[in-house]
């Protein structure tokens, strides 16, 4: 990139309601022990009254406040979700409306759980192309309402929440080496169907099935391969500037542990909050950044690899130097 950018603010929103594994034991044939052993997940946050839009707006507001900027200075908003309240408009448009920014470009990207990485890459590219100074990238997911609560192999995995960052132009560059990839999901191993009406001339039938469907074993195999490839690629691109911290999409602690074992990095360099928040799809990386920053796990000067993977099958990563 020829313009210099950095993250100047971060924020998140989590619903208050906590659903523990024990609470799922009450409704399904599963156990806390099985879930922890296969996923590392102990509990998840789920919406009660909140919507995907509400969480996106709250996370964005907090990021803007954290950056210490005025909403009217935002010039670009990129959203990411697989669980929007509406198919159109974008959550970015609702964030614009609520924050009251008049003159922005606002759109969402749809790249499954890799959405935040694609959104970051899109934001820094558009900041350059459109000559913008300040952007908000926000990812928000309401997966509890996209889970089939009779399917014990998938509903145990997901949680709700939103995270956002503010990106501003800066003197030196702290966001670089975006790498975006996708391989065809020819077997439909991971997708979320849309509900639809059928018109009188179509052979299609109306459906209200909009639950997350996946082949867990195939997704696992794809995920560990994608993480390994992306970390290797980022490591090579960073050259003699070592990556100090790694934030992976928080899909499953087994995937994170596997990545740590198969890489040259130490397990302590990997951030983990999937045990408490479960898999929040594209919101998991900004949620992790916010928590890691607030808890002091991220230190000024850290060279952080963000790595995502998900439906598509998309995957990718980006480097951020922590500068707050
Ligand atoms: N509780 C108890 N038993 C269960 C549960 C459950 N919640 N779910 C499945 N089982 C049973 C199955 O029925 C099966 O029983 P059987 O042997 O009698 O047929 C047994 O456990 C083993 O099932 P598998 O599906 O083979 O279990 P696996 O070891 O593959 O674990 C899991 C399933 C956790 C989903 C794993 O495949 C996985 O982690 N995959 C990655 C998926 C993922 O992270 N997806 C996230 C969304 S995609 C993304 O974010 C990129």
């Amino acid at each position: 990139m020829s313009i210099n950018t950095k993250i100047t603010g971060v924020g998140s929103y989590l619903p208050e309601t906590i659903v523990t594994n024990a609470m799922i034991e009450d409704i399904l044939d599963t156990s806390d022990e099985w879930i922890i052993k296969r996923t590392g997940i102990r509990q998840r946050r789920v919406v009660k009254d909140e919507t995907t839009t509400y969480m996106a707006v709250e996370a964005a507001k907090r990021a803007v406040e954290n950056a210490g900027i005025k909403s009217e200075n935002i010039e670009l908003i990129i959203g990411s979700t697989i669980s929007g309240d509406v198919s159109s408009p974008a959550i970015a448009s609702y964030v614009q409306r609520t924050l009251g920014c008049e003159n922005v470009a606002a759109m969402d990207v749809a790249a499954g759980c890799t959405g935040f990485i694609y959104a970051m890459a899109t934001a820094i590219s558009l900041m350059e192309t459109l000559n913008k100074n300040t952007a908000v990238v926000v990812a928000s997911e309401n997966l509890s309402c996209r889970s089939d609560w009779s399917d014990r192999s998938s509903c145990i995995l997901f949680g709700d929440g939103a995270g956002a960052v503010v990106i501003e132009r800066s003197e030196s560059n702290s966001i670089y080496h975006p790498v975006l990839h996708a391989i065809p999901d020819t077997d439909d191993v991971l997708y979320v169907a849309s509900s639809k009406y059928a018109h009188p001339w179509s052979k299609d039938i109306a459906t209200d099935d909009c639950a997350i469907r996946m082949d867990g074993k195939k997704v696992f195999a794809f995920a560990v391969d994608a993480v390994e490839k992306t970390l290797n690629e980022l490591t090579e691109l960073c050259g003699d500037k070592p990556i100090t911290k790694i934030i992976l999409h928080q899909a499953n602690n087994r995937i994170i542990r596997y990545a740590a074992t198969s890489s040259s990095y130490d397990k302590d360099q990997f951030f983990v909050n999937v045990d408490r928040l479960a898999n929040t799809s594209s919101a998991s990386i900004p949620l992790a950044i916010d928590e890691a920053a607030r808890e002091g796990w991220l230190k000024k000067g850290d060279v952080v690899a963000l790595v995502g993977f998900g439906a598509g099958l998309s995957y990718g990563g980006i480097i951020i130097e922590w500068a707050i």
Side-chain angles (χ1 to χ4, degrees):
M1 300 299 300
S2 55
I3 64 161
N4 295 330
T5 54
K6 70 174 179 183
I7 291 177
T8 58
V10 58
S12 67
Y13 180 86
L14 286 169
E16 269 179 30
T17 307
I18 293 175
V19 171
T20 61
N21 293 345
M23 290 160 80
I24 301 181
E25 276 177 11
D26 289 342
I27 58 164
L28 281 177
D29 179 16
T30 187
S31 68
D32 181 45
E33 193 193 350
W34 192 97
I35 300 171
I36 291 174
K37 189 167 170 217
R38 306 287 171 121
T39 70
I41 296 166
R42 293 172 185 276
Q43 61 182 50
R44 67 284 294 141
R45 299 293 186 102
V46 302
V47 294
K48 212 164 199 175
D49 304 318
E50 301 95 333
T51 61
T52 307
T53 307
Y54 176 82
M55 295 191 289
V57 168
E58 285 304 306
K61 270 190 201 163
R62 291 170 192 188
V64 167
E65 199 179 298
N66 184 239
I69 59 163
K70 292 199 169 79
S71 300
E72 56 260 36
N73 294 336
I74 299 165
E75 296 172 319
L76 174 68
I77 304 173
I78 308 288
S80 167
T81 188
I82 62 163
S83 50
D85 306 309
V86 294
S87 302
S88 183
I91 55 166
S93 303
Y94 285 110
V95 171
Q96 171 188 15
R97 188 166 96 180
T98 316
L99 295 189
C101 344
E102 288 296 322
N103 188 22
V104 304
M107 61 176 266
D108 285 358
V109 299
C113 304
T114 323
F116 184 74
I117 303 293
Y118 271 70
M120 287 283 289
T122 305
I124 57 171
S125 304
L126 285 182
M127 283 174 78
E128 174 163 23
T129 311
L130 304 176
N131 195 25
K132 305 284 190 188
N133 291 310
T134 307
V136 169
V137 178
V138 55
S140 181
E141 304 285 7
N142 171 355
L143 302 180
S144 59
C145 298
R146 295 290 185 289
S147 297
D148 175 351
W149 286 94
S150 64
D151 176 8
R152 65 179 182 171
S153 66
S154 66
C155 70
I156 50 135
L157 296 170
F158 300 108
D160 303 334
V165 296
V166 172
I167 301 175
E168 293 183 77
R169 285 196 189 226
S170 65
E171 279 175 14
S172 58
N173 194 23
S174 301
I175 306 175
Y176 47 88
H177 300 329
V179 292
L180 304 181
H181 300 287
I183 53 170
D185 181 5
T186 44
D187 295 334
D188 284 333
V189 300
L190 180 57
Y191 66 93
V192 187
S194 279
S195 55
K196 63 181 175 189
Y197 291 105
H199 66 71
W201 302 276
S202 133
K203 287 194 189 109
D204 253 359
I205 48 164
T207 168
D208 56 4
D209 179 7
C210 56
I212 302 165
R213 302 289 173 200
M214 67 165 192
D215 179 330
K217 279 200 190 324
K218 287 188 178 160
V219 172
F220 190 92
F222 152 72
V224 293
D225 189 48
V227 171
E228 188 176 344
K229 282 185 178 139
T230 309
L231 264 184
N232 287 343
E233 195 175 2
L234 291 175
T235 304
E236 203 173 312
L237 285 166
C238 283
D240 49 17
K241 190 171 207 172
I243 292 168
T244 56
K245 302 273 169 66
I246 297 154
I247 297 181
L248 301 184
H249 163 45
Q250 304 284 303
N252 180 323
N253 201 29
R254 256 166 87 209
I255 296 173
I256 300 172
R257 283 205 312 265
Y258 196 97
T261 314
S262 65
S263 76
S264 55
Y265 296 97
D266 192 81
K267 75 172 184 359
D268 295 339
Q269 289 175 278
F270 290 77
F271 184 80
V272 178
N273 66 5
V274 68
D275 53 327
R276 285 166 289 117
L277 302 189
N279 179 345
T280 54
S281 187
S282 72
S284 86
I285 292 177
L287 273 165
I289 296 173
D290 188 43
E291 185 180 326
R294 276 186 290 105
E295 289 195 346
W297 187 84
L298 280 180
K299 308 247 182 302
K300 203 167 180 168
D302 264 335
V303 177
V304 189
L306 307 179
V307 178
F309 48 88
L313 295 164
S314 61
Y315 65 100
I318 195 164
I319 299 290
I320 57 168
E321 272 179 46
W322 197 244
I324 300 179

